C-alpha cells in the first residue's frame, strides 16, 4: 500500500463491511482478532491515518475527517460488541438453586459446663479475681474442720460425703463436697489482699433427680482485704449477675447459714419469673481469718459458692440437671 | 418442721397477711418452703346446731333434722344414726362444695327430694368434708363458736412448713418461731404456761439420778406424776399435733410430743413402776449390752453409746429412743418424766449408727440449751395434771454437774458498718436485739449484750451483727464496687493448657463431653493392661452403687460409653473429646492424697457424610482422627513424633505412640473391637489420648504467646519427588530428613501408593511403596539459582538413600 495514493485510503464501504463482520462474531478471541485487523497498529485505518500527512493539503482535512469518523464508528461497534459478549458470558451460566445447603463443615463445640464456668471466671476476672485450683480428693481438715464443721456437726447432714477406702489409722480421704477447701489452702500460703475464684468438681453422696446430681461443678469466690464489707459482696455479685444474665438484674440477700461465714446469706437474682436463688455467700468467719494469721479487726473478707450447673440451667432454660452428664449430642449441639 | 398457725397464734398475734409474714421469716433465715392448708375450702359450709331430730315419715333409717345456722332454721334429711339434738355439726346448704365419698371429687350440693321430703342441705360426715374416709356417722364439732360461723374458721388450719438451718435448734419449736415473729413484727410474746398446779407429795426420796458420764450428759431432770388416767387427748391438741405431722395416740404420748414441738425440748416418759429402784443411771453402755427399743428392735450396744439405765440395765438409748420394758402402757398409773440435755455429737452418732433419726434425736444433735429441761418438765407436768388427771409430785430431781456461765458479748458499734458496709440506726439495733430476747446495755462506743440461753448459735460479735442485719433486713444494703489494689495473678500453666486444648479440640470439630469421675472397677479393668490390674485403685467406701465406686484412672470408659449411647440413639458420626482429671494412688505424697493428673481424650466413630450431609458408606478412619489430634498439637505449636507402638486396648498395627521432645505424651489408634464392645461400641472407633501433665513437662512454653517470624523476601522453588521406599520406612522420617537441610523450608507428602502386595496406603510395613514428597527450597537472604537448588537436591537425595533406603523413581 502506498500511503500517498489517496485511492488506497480506507473507503466507507469497507467500514460498513467490517462492522457487519463484527456482528456475526460470538467468540472473544475472534473479536480480539477483528480488533487487531481493523483498529490495530497495522490496520488499514491506522496506516491511512499515519499517511494523512502525505496527501494533498487541500484534501487532507476532508480525508482526515472521514478517517476519524471511521475510527469512531469502528471503536463504537467494538465497544458495543464487547459489552454484548460480557453480558452474554454471565447470562449463559446455568442458574444455581441458591436455596441448597452449603457443603457440610464438621462442627464441634464446648460443653455447656465449660462455657458457663468460663463465663463465671470471666465475670469475676473483670473485677480482678484470678483463678486458682485445688485437689478434688481432700482431707477432712480442709473440707470440714478448718471451715468450722467439726466431726458430727449437723451441717454435715447437708453434705453427704464420699469417703475413700484407706489404710487403718491414716487420715481419711474424701471427695470434696464443695470448693471451699480452696479458701483455706490459699489463705494458708498467702497474705491479703486476696481475690480468687476456684472452679472445680465437687461430690455429694445423694440420689439424683431433675435438680440434684451427685457430681457438680462449683466455683468458689473469695476476697480478703482491708475494709471489705457485705456491701462489696453485693456489688461484686451484682456485677456478676449483669455479666451472666444481662442488665436490669437485681440482687437480693436473705439470711442463711454456712458455718464458715458470718453473716451468711442466700443470694437471689431478679428474673421475669421472680426471685431465683443462685448461690450461698457471706463474710468470712472472723475465727477463720484469725486461724489463717490475719487480724480480723483489720482484714475482712467475703466468700461465695456458685453451682455452675445451676447457672447454666438458668441461662439456657435447662430443666433437668442430669442432661449435663448424659452427653447426648442432640443436647451438646445446642450450645 | 411444720408449725400450724392456730398454735403459733396462741403465743404471738399474727398479721392478717400470713404469706407476707412467711416471706419475712424466710428473709430473716427461717425459710418457709410452703404454706399448707389443712382441711378444705368448705365454701358456704357453716357451724350448725341440731335443734330437733324426728323420724322420717316414710323411711325407718332416715331422720328429719332441724338445724340452726346463724339465726335461721332449716330441716334436712339425714341418714346418720349418731345425729342428736344439741350437737354442733358442719352444715352444708344447697350450693355448697362437698367431696363425693364414692369418687373423691368435689361437687356442688343440689336440692333433692328423699322419699317424698325435700332436703335443701346436708349434715356432713368427715368424708364429705374431705377430712377422712369416714362417712357412716356425721362429724360432731367441739367448738365454742356460734352457729353460722364458717366451718373453715373452726376446722382446718394453715401450716408453715420450714426448712431450717442446723444452727437454729431454738427454731425447731413453735415457741422459737413465735419469738422470731415477735421480733420481726414487734408484737408481744406469750410463752406457754409452765406454772405447777397444786403439787402433791415431794419427789425427794422416791426417784434419783446419777450421771456417770457428764461429758455426754450435761443435765438430767426427773419429775414424778402419779395417778394418771390414760385417755384420748383433747381435740384441740390432737388437731394441732395432726397439723404438725404427728399422729395422736393418747393423752400421755400426745402431751410429751406436744411439749417437744412447743418448746423444742424432747422429753421421755417412763412407767415409774417398771424402773427398778426408781433409780436412773446415765452411763456409757457396757460392751455387748443389749436394749430393745420402742420399735421392738434389739440393739447391741458398745461404750460409744450413752444409755439411760436402772440398776438392772439399759432402759433407753439417750436422746434417741426409749426402751420397750419401761414403755407407757394402758395400765401405766405413775409416770417418771425424763427431761435431759445430751452432748449433740454423741446423739447424732448414735442416731445415725442405728438409723433412728427421730425428731428428738435431731433436736439434740442440733444442740439444745441445758437451761431448757426444767421449763419443759414443768410444762409437761402442767398438761398431765390438766388433761390426764395426774398429781405432780413436788419438786424435781435435777442433776446439772457443770453449769456454764451465761454468754455476754461486747460489740463495738463500729463493727456493724465494718462488716455490713451500712449503718443501722441505733433504735433499730436495740429493737432487733431486744425483740429477740437479748439483754442490751449500751454506751456511745459499745453494746454489752447478754445472750438468751436458747440462742447457743450466738457467740462472737459478728453473730450479733448478723442478728441485727437479718431482723432489720438486707433490702437497704447498698451494692458497693470493689476498690483497692488488684492482687498479683500467678499463672496456672496446667489450666491454661487444659482450656487451650478444649478450644483446639472443639475447633477440630469434636464435641466436648463431661463424664463422671467415678466408674466401676470393671470399666477400668477393661482399659487397663492385665499386668497393671493388680495395682490398687481408689475405691469409695460408701458408694452410690457398684457402677460408681472407683475413681477413674482413665478417661476412656466415659467417652466410649458416651459414644455408645449416641450411636444407640441413631447418631451416624460421633466425634467427641473430654478433658479432665484421672486419679492415681500416690505412694510418696505427704498427706496420702492421690495424684490428680490432667488428661485429654478424643474419640471418632461412625461414617463420613456426603455433600448434603447424608451418611455415606465410608467410615471415619484413623486419619480422620489423627487430623483432630494434629490440629490440637499444631495449635499448641508442638511437633509430635508418631511411632508404631503396642498399647493395651488398641489394635496393633493401627496404633501410634505420640512423643514430644523424646517424652511419651500419649497414644493414637483404633480401639480394639473387644474393648469397644465392652462399652457398647460395635463399629470401628479411633481415639487419641494425651497426658497433659506429661505434655506440660515436655513442652513447658507452649501456652506462651508465639514470637512472630519475618516473612520471606526472596522467591521459593518447589520440587516433587516420587520415592521408592522400603516397607518399614515412616513417611514422617523422610519428610524430617528433607526438613533437616537449612535451605528446605517445607516438605510434605503429596502421594502414597503401593506398588505390589496388598494393604491400603498409609499402612506402613506391608509392601513397597511409592511416596510422593514435595519440597520447597528457599533462602532468607537471596534468590536461589539452579546451581544452588541442584546442590540441595543432591544432598537430600543422598540422605534419603543413605538413611532411609529411599530412591527416586521419577522426578516431576
Amino acid at each position: 500500500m502506498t500511503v500517498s495514493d489517496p485511492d488506497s485510503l480506507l473507503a466507507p464501504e469497507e467500514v460498513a463491511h467490517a462492522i457487519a463482520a463484527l456482528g456475526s462474531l460470538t467468540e472473544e478471541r475472534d473479536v480480539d482478532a477483528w480488533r487487531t485487523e481493523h483498529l490495530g497498529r497495522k490496520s488499514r485505518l491506522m496506516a491511512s491515518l499515519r499517511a494523512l500527512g502525505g496527501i494533498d493539503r487541500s484534501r487532507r482535512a476532508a480525508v482526515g475527517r472521514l478517517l476519524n469518523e471511521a475510527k469512531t464508528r469502528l471503536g463504537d461497534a467494538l465497544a458495543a460488541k464487547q459489552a454484548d459478549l460480557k453480558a452474554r458470558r454471565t447470562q449463559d451460566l446455568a442458574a444455581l438453586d441458591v436455596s441448597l445447603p452449603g457443603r457440610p463443615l464438621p462442627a464441634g463445640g464446648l460443653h455447656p459446663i465449660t462455657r458457663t464456668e468460663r463465663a463465671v471466671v470471666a465475670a469475676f476476672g473483670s473485677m480482678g479475681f484470678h483463678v486458682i485450683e485445688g485437689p478434688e480428693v481432700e482431707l477432712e481438715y480442709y473440707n470440714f474442720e478448718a471451715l468450722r464443721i467439726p466431726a458430727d456437726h449437723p451441717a454435715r447432714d447437708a453434705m453427704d460425703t464420699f469417703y475413700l477406702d484407706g489404710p487403718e489409722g491414716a487420715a481419711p480421704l474424701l471427695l470434696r463436697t464443695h470448693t471451699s477447701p480452696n479458701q483455706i489452702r490459699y489463705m494458708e500460703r498467702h497474705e491479703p489482699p486476696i481475690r480468687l475464684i476456684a472452679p472445680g468438681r465437687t461430690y455429694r453422696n445423694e440420689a439424683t433427680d431433675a435438680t440434684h446430681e451427685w457430681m457438680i461443678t462449683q466455683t468458689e469466690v473469695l476476697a480478703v482485704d482491708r475494709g471489705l464489707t457485705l456491701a462489696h459482696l453485693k456489688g461484686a455479685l451484682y456485677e456478676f449477675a449483669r455479666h451472666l444474665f444481662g442488665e436490669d438484674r437485681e440482687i437480693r440477700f436473705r439470711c442463711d447459714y454456712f458455718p464458715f461465714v458470718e453473716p451468711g446469706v442466700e443470694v437471689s437474682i431478679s428474673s421475669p419469673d421472680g426471685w431465683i436463688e443462685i448461690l450461698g455467700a457471706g463474710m468470712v468467719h472472723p475465727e477463720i481469718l484469725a486461724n489463717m494469721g490475719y487480724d480480723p479487726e483489720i482484714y475482712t473478707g467475703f466468700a461465695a459458692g456458685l453451682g455452675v450447673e445451676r447457672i447454666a440451667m438458668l441461662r439456657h432454660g435447662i430443666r433437668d440437671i442430669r442432661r449435663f452428664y448424659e452427653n447426648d449430642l442432640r443436647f451438646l449441639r445446642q450450645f | 418442721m411444720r408449725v400450724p398457725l392456730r398454735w403459733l397464734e396462741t403465743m404471738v398475734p399474727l398479721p392478717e397477711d400470713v404469706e407476707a409474714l412467711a416471706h419475712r421469716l424466710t428473709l430473716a433465715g427461717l425459710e418457709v418452703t410452703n404454706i399448707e392448708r389443712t382441711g378444705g375450702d368448705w365454701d358456704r359450709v357453716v357451724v350448725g346446731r341440731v335443734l330437733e331430730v324426728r323420724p322420717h315419715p316414710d323411711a325407718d333409717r332416715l331422720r328429719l333434722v332441724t338445724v340452726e345456722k346463724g339465726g335461721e332454721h332449716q330441716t334436712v334429711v339425714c341418714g346418720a344414726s349418731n345425729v342428736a339434738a344439741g350437737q354442733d355439726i358442719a352444715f352444708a346448704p344447697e350450693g355448697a362444695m362437698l367431696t363425693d365419698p364414692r369418687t373423691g371429687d368435689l361437687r356442688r350440693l343440689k336440692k333433692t327430694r328423699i322419699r317424698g321430703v325435700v332436703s335443701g342441705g346436708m349434715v356432713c360426715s368427715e368424708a364429705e368434708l374431705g377430712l377422712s374416709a369416714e362417712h357412716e356417722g356425721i362429724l360432731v364439732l367441739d367448738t365454742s363458736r356460734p352457729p353460722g360461723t364458717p366451718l373453715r374458721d373452726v376446722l382446718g388450719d394453715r401450716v408453715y412448713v420450714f426448712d431450717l438451718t442446723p444452727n437454729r435448734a431454738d427454731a425447731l419449736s413453735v415457741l422459737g418461731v413465735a419469738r422470731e415473729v415477735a421480733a420481726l413484727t414487734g408484737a408481744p410474746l406469750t410463752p406457754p404456761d409452765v406454772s405447777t398446779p397444786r403439787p402433791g407429795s415431794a419427789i425427794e426420796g422416791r426417784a434419783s439420778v446419777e450421771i456417770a458420764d457428764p461429758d455426754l450428759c450435761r443435765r438430767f431432770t426427773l419429775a414424778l406424776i402419779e395417778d394418771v388416767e390414760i385417755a384420748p387427748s383433747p381435740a384441740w391438741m390432737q388437731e394441732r399435733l395432726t397439723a404438725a405431722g404427728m399422729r395422736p395416740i393418747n393423752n400421755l404420748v400426745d402431751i410429751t410430743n406436744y411439749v417437744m414441738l412447743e418448746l423444742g425440748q424432747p422429753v421421755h416418759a417412763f412407767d415409774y413402776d417398771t424402773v427398778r429402784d426408781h433409780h436412773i443411771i446415765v452411763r456409757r453402755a457396757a460392751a455387748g449390752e443389749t436394749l430393745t427399743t420402742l420399735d421392738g428392735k434389739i440393739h447391741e450396744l458398745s461404750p460409744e453409746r450413752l444409755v439411760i439405765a436402772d440398776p438392772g440395765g439399759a432402759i433407753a438409748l439417750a436422746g434417741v429412743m426409749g426402751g420397750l420394758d419401761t414403755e407407757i402402757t394402758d395400765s401405766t398409773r405413775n409416770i417418771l418424766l425424763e427431761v435431759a440435755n445430751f452432748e449433740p455429737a454423741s446423739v447424732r452418732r448414735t442416731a445415725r449408727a442405728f438409723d433412728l433419726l427421730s425428731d428428738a434425736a435431731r433436736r439434740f444433735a442440733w444442740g439444745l440449751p441445758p437451761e431448757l429441761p426444767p421449763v419443759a418438765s414443768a410444762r409437761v407436768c402442767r398438761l398431765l395434771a390438766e388433761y390426764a388427771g395426774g398429781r405432780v409430785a413436788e419438786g424435781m430431781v435435777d442433776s446439772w454437774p457443770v453449769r456454764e456461765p451465761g454468754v455476754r458479748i461486747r460489740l463495738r458499734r463500729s463493727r456493724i458498718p465494718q462488716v455490713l458496709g451500712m449503718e443501722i440506726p441505733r433504735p433499730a439495733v436495740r429493737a432487733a436485739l431486744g425483740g429477740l430476747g437479748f439483754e442490751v446495755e449500751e454506751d456511745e462506743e459499745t453494746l454489752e449484750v447478754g445472750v438468751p440461753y436458747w440462742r447457743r448459735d450466738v457467740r462472737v460479735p459478728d453473730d450479733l451483727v448478723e442478728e441485727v442485719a437479718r431482723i432489720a433486713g438486707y433490702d437497704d444494703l447498698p451494692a458497693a464496687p470493689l476498690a483497692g489494689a488488684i492482687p498479683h495473678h500467678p499463672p496456672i500453666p496446667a489450666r491454661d493448657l487444659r482450656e487451650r486444648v478444649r478450644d483446639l479440640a472443639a475447633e477440630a470439630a469434636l464435641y466436648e463431653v463431661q463424664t463422671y469421675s467415678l466408674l466401676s472397677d470393671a470399666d477400668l479393668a477393661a482399659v487397663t493392661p492385665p499386668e497393671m490390674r493388680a495395682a490398687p485403685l481408689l475405691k469409695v467406701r460408701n458408694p452410690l452403687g457398684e457402677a460408681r465406686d472407683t475413681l477413674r484412672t482413665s478417661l476412656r470408659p466415659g467417652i466410649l460409653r458416651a459414644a455408645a449411647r449416641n450411636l444407640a440413639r441413631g447418631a451416624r458420626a460421633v466425634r467427641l473429646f473430654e478433658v479432665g482429671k484421672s486419679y492415681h494412688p500416690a505412694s510418696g505424697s505427704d498427706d496420702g492424697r492421690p495424684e490428680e493428673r490432667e488428661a485429654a481424650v478424643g474419640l471418632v466413630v461412625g461414617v463420613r457424610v456426603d455433600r448434603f450431609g447424608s451418611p455415606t458408606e465410608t467410615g471415619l478412619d484413623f486419619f480422620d482422627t489423627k487430623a483432630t489430634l494434629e490440629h490440637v498439637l499444631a495449635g499448641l505449636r508442638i511437633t509430635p513424633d508418631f511411632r508404631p507402638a503396642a498399647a493395651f486396648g488398641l489394635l496393633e498395627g493401627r496404633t501410634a505412640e505420640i512423643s514430644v521432645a523424646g517424652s511419651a505424651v500419649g497414644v493414637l489408634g483404633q480401639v480394639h473391637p473387644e474393648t469397644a464392645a465392652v462399652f457398647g461400641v460395635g463399629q470401628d472407633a479411633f481415639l487419641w489420648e494425651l497426658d497433659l501433665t506429661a505434655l506440660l513437662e515436655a513442652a513447658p512454653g507452649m501456652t506462651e504467646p508465639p514470637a512472630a517470624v519475618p516473612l520471606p523476601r526472596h522467591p521459593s522453588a518447589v520440587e516433587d519427588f516420587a520415592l521408592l521406599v522400603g516397607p518399614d520406612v515412616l513417611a514422617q522420617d523422610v519428610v524430617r530428613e528433607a526438613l533437616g537441610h537449612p535451605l528446605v523450608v517445607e516438605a510434605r507428602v503429596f502421594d502414597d501408593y503401593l506398588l505390589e502386595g496388598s494393604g491400603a496406603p498409609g499402612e506402613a510395613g506391608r509392601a513397597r511403596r511409592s511416596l510422593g514428597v514435595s519440597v520447597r527450597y528457599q533462602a532468607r537472604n537471596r534468590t536461589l539459582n539452579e546451581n544452588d537448588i541442584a546442590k540441595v537436591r543432591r544432598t537430600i537425595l543422598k540422605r534419603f538413600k543413605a538413611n532411609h533406603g529411599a530412591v527416586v523413581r521419577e522426578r516431576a
Side-chain angles (χ1 to χ4, degrees), chain B residues 208-213 220 222 268 270 274-286 289-291 301 305-318 321 323 326 336 338 342:
Chain B
S208 55
V209 66
E210 172 196 345
I211 301 178
D213 289 298
F220 198 98
L222 286 173
H268 184 70
F270 295 102
T274 63
V275 176
R276 285 157 282 204
D277 298 348
H278 312 309
H279 179 61
I280 298 279
I281 308 129
V282 188
R283 59 165 171 83
R284 284 180 160 84
E289 187 172 7
T290 58
L291 172 70
L301 306 175
R305 312 291 166 218
L306 187 72
V307 294
I308 315 300
D310 67 13
I315 57 172
L317 210 45
M321 195 177 260
T326 51
L336 187 61
E338 165 207 316
F342 302 109

Side-chain angles (χ1 to χ4, degrees), chain A residues 100-104 106-111 113-115 117-118 121 125 127-139 151-157 160-165 171-173 175-176 185-186 190 193-195 199 201 203-208 213-215 217 223 225 227-236 238 252-257 262-265 277 283-287 296-300 302 322 324-330 332-333, chain B residues 23 26-31 165-167 344-346 348-349 352 365-367 412 415 417-422 457 460 462-467 469-470 474-490 492 494-495 498-500 502-503 505-518 538-544 548 551-552 558 562 565-566 569 571 573-579 581 583 591-594 596 598 609-613:
Chain A
L100 281 174
R103 287 195 177 75
L110 296 173
H111 195 281
I113 294 295
T114 300
R115 289 175 184 276
E117 182 191 301
R118 287 186 179 183
V121 167
M127 291 178 264
F129 289 76
H130 66 90
V131 175
I132 67 150
E133 294 182 347
E136 292 174 23
V137 180
E138 261 298 1
L139 300 167
D152 289 300
H153 190 280
R156 291 200 182 191
D157 288 343
D160 278 332
T161 309
F162 289 115
Y163 283 90
L164 295 189
D165 269 342
L173 294 175
L175 300 185
R176 68 179 174 192
R185 287 187 174 273
Y186 194 83
H190 296 83
I194 294 169
R195 278 186 213 177
R201 287 183 167 186
Y203 306 85
R204 303 264 169 106
N205 189 349
E206 59 183 35
T208 44
E213 185 42 276
W214 60 267
M215 183 178 92
T217 309
D225 203 349
L228 284 182
T229 66
L230 201 66
H232 290 109
L233 169 64
K234 189 169 183 178
Y238 175 69
R252 194 184 73 188
F253 284 2
R254 74 170 183 82
C255 177
D256 202 346
Y257 170 68
E262 188 67 42
V265 291
E277 293 185 351
M283 298 300 289
V284 180
H285 199 287
E287 274 176 23
E297 290 294 320
I298 296 173
Y299 292 105
T300 46
F302 62 73
R322 290 168 292 196
F324 291 113
Y325 300 109
E326 284 170 358
N327 297 303
D328 189 322
L329 281 164
R330 295 169 301 178
L332 298 176
R333 284 195 192 106
Chain B
H23 182 62
T26 300
L27 291 182
L30 269 52
E31 187 186 2
T165 54
N167 57 325
S346 150
R348 184 174 179 275
R349 263 195 307 275
R352 287 171 76 91
W366 282 20
R412 275 186 298 107
R415 184 69 182 172
Q418 190 187 0
V419 171
L420 298 180
M422 67 170 172
D457 58 317
V460 298
D462 287 4
D463 293 332
L464 292 173
V465 174
E466 176 171 70
E467 290 305 303
R470 70 184 187 86
Y474 287 110
D475 287 349
D476 294 334
L477 186 71
L482 283 177
I486 290 177
H488 174 59
H489 283 209
I492 315 181
R495 181 176 176 88
R498 182 199 316 135
E499 298 307 318
R500 184 89 186 100
R502 283 187 164 134
D503 284 335
E507 280 172 17
L510 303 176
Y511 275 100
E512 186 184 14
V513 297
Q514 293 219 14
T515 69
Y516 292 126
S517 310
L518 290 170
L538 294 158
K539 305 283 284 184
V540 171
R541 202 174 67 204
N542 53 336
L544 275 167
R548 291 176 192 153
L551 274 170
R552 66 182 180 191
R565 275 197 299 271
N566 279 294
R569 286 185 199 111
V574 176
R575 304 160 54 96
L576 307 175
F577 79 98
E578 179 168 19
V579 177
K581 283 181 170 183
Y583 312 79
D591 52 12
R593 282 190 307 102
E596 300 180 15
E598 303 270 353
V609 295
D610 68 10
R611 179 252 171 280
F612 293 105

Side-chain angles (χ1 to χ4, degrees), chain B residues 517-547:
Chain B
S517 310
L518 290 170
L519 303 171
S520 72
D521 48 7
D523 276 357
L524 288 170
V527 298
T528 308
E531 67 274 16
M532 304 281 283
R533 283 180 203 157
L537 290 168
L538 294 158
K539 305 283 284 184
V540 171
R541 202 174 67 204
N542 53 336
L544 275 167
E546 267 181 32

